[in-house]
Amino acid sequence: MYRSNIYPKMILLVSFLVLAFNSVFAQPAMELKLQLLDADKWGVYVRPIGVTPGPLTITGTAQVTVVMPKDFGWSGLQSISGTWAANATVNGPTENPTAKYVSFGLTTDFPHIDYIAGDETLLFTFLRTDPCPD
């Protein structure tokens, strides 16, 4: 269930590269979703589209950028699948002065990201620390 009307909308901009031992040249599509898990916790999910990942599928590199309201406060990044780090924040860029862009980068595929065709896998969560801005 998506609760986009409860809190300000955040957008995922995604750059995701998946390498598979059994098909290195395949370019699978990855769908990402930002979901409110409870009143103070957001989760980022991935789901493969149009491919059937095998047990040897590994993630070589990934970056997820969440566009948030400029005054949105967050903390408590928790890696669930893979190890993630917040590696860049841009506050109020000229093309979107009321927003900030927070980029999360994959540092390693441990714990292993298990891709299941048609199913979502939770990558990481983060908490909001302030009331959501209007």
Side-chain angles (χ1 to χ4, degrees):
M1 173 185 288
Y2 298 96
R3 299 182 189 176
S4 61
N5 295 337
I6 295 175
Y7 292 98
K9 293 182 180 178
M10 290 190 265
I11 303 167
L12 289 177
L13 301 174
V14 179
S15 173
F16 222 87
L17 172 65
V18 176
L19 299 176
F21 286 126
N22 55 351
S23 60
V24 172
F25 298 104
Q27 289 294 327
M30 294 290 162
E31 177 181 271
L32 279 99
K33 177 176 80 171
L34 178 67
Q35 180 173 338
L36 183 64
L37 302 176
D38 62 39
D40 296 324
K41 187 176 190 178
W42 292 89
V44 174
Y45 291 82
V46 65
R47 180 173 64 133
I49 303 294
V51 295
T52 303
L56 298 178
T57 301
I58 61 168
T59 305
T61 184
Q63 178 176 309
V64 176
T65 300
V66 180
V67 180
M68 306 175 180
K70 190 175 182 179
D71 297 327
F72 183 83
W74 72 273
S75 70
L77 175 63
Q78 181 181 8
S79 298
I80 308 297
S81 296
T83 301
W84 296 85
N87 46 350
T89 299
V90 177
N91 287 307
T94 55
E95 71 275 5
N96 197 355
T98 62
K100 69 177 165 187
Y101 295 27
V102 180
S103 292
F104 301 93
L106 180 72
T107 61
T108 182
D109 189 15
F110 181 82
H112 182 69
I113 301 172
D114 292 319
Y115 298 100
I116 301 167
D119 287 343
E120 297 172 343
T121 300
L122 181 59
L123 297 175
F124 60 88
T125 63
F126 59 91
L127 304 172
R128 80 177 167 98
T129 59
D130 298 319
C132 288
D134 291 335

